[in-house]
Amino acid sequence: VETTVASAEAANPDPAQQSRQRLVNDYLQRGDALHSSGRYEEAAEAYLNAHQLDRGNWHALAGRNRAVRRHVPRWHFEMMHDDERAELYEKALRQVVSADKLVLDIGTGSGLLAMMAARAGAGQVVACEGQAMVADVARKIVKTAGFADKVTVVPKMSTVMEIGQDLDRRADVLVTETVDCGLLGEGILATIAHAREHLLADGAVIVPARARVLAGLIESPELFRKNHVGELYGFDLSGFNELASMEYFDSRLRRHEHRMLTEPFDVFNFDFYRDGPEGKRTELTLKPTVDGTCHAVVFWFELELVAGIELTNSPEHPNTHWKQAIQCLTEPVRLTRGQPVPVDVRHDGLHIHFTVGGSTQTSGAQG
Ligand SMILES: C[S@@+](CC[C@H](N)C(=O)[O-])C[C@H]1O[C@@H](n2cnc3c(N)ncnc32)[C@H](O)[C@@H]1O
């Protein structure tokens, strides 16, 4: 950085410019140090300050982007473009919102659902967002859209909000879209349970109301390879499998060669008016519809926003931004048509996990 300062001074003898350049370099150094110590929001701010003083500064631009990425996943964009998701949420909001209602939007992101609630005629909307950088942007969007008198953005996790401080009173309507491809991964169960207890009025409407998780066993060496390795290039690399993931990942099932080995089956039902994040386990027995080798489980949800309005990321629904949740098995399991196979499913409030064919899963064919 000293070299940068020195060369900048040499290139630009104007004292005002030099002190400005020093300030830019101070911000950049501060940004680098904050980023290294994991303080990404502050790092992003420092880089932004540098960029405002020196618009063409690549270090500032790239540094801010790197820091923002730590807090703001890129999927926000794809999600906002999911017009079915947006249309169905808006349709649901129109059914439950009116001028006498206080609406709480948990996890407002861009402010989209909060503005939809205001557009649908809500008296007041409080929109909280746990990521400060996202909340900051939401506030600007709401203001530019002309909804600042109706929508208040609170830069907090819902779980630290307080009545009297962040909300004048308990809310009449809760709307939230804190759902990942596997339904629970963004913590919707704990978030809604907390809101019911601390932030919502008796009889408040909750959008979404319910959800159902469905799954299917699949044969797909292609998907299995995403989490498993064997012999390659003359080397046995299978030792790497001890680092394989137990968790699901998102993928569009139809983009990968696969065969469904079972009919879709029900896994869990959730009632957001009652359920909390306590873990659950269910033991199922399935009858495969064809012979095959099971490499993975595909699962998806049906999300009932209000009665009659449902969103899904099922494999038959090709355009959903959520894609499907895929969990690879530790080892492939050989299945025979009509022969019962035990499937143990558990969730810990955040993740759904499947064990197929007993706990050892060593009986299957390789690959
Ligand atoms: C899937 S995005 C949805 C954004 C927006 N509601 C929409 O539908 O376009 C979820 C957002 O909720 C935020 N979030 C998740 N849980 C939260 C909570 N309990 N309190 C506040 N924000 C939360 C995340 O940071 C993320 O920005």
Side-chain angles (χ1 to χ4, degrees), residues 82-102:
D82 185 336
D83 46 16
E84 184 183 40
R85 184 193 78 108
E87 277 162 26
L88 293 182
Y89 259 97
E90 183 154 34
K91 201 167 157 195
L93 281 166
R94 285 212 192 98
Q95 288 194 9
V96 299
V97 149
S98 54
D100 57 337
K101 300 276 194 272
L102 169 59

Side-chain angles (χ1 to χ4, degrees), residues 284-307:
L284 307 169
T285 304
L286 303 178
K287 288 202 176 155
T289 49
V290 287
D291 290 353
T293 301
C294 179
H295 295 100
V297 183
V298 56
F299 64 104
W300 62 93
F301 58 77
E302 290 173 359
L303 192 67
E304 184 187 296
L305 301 182
V306 295

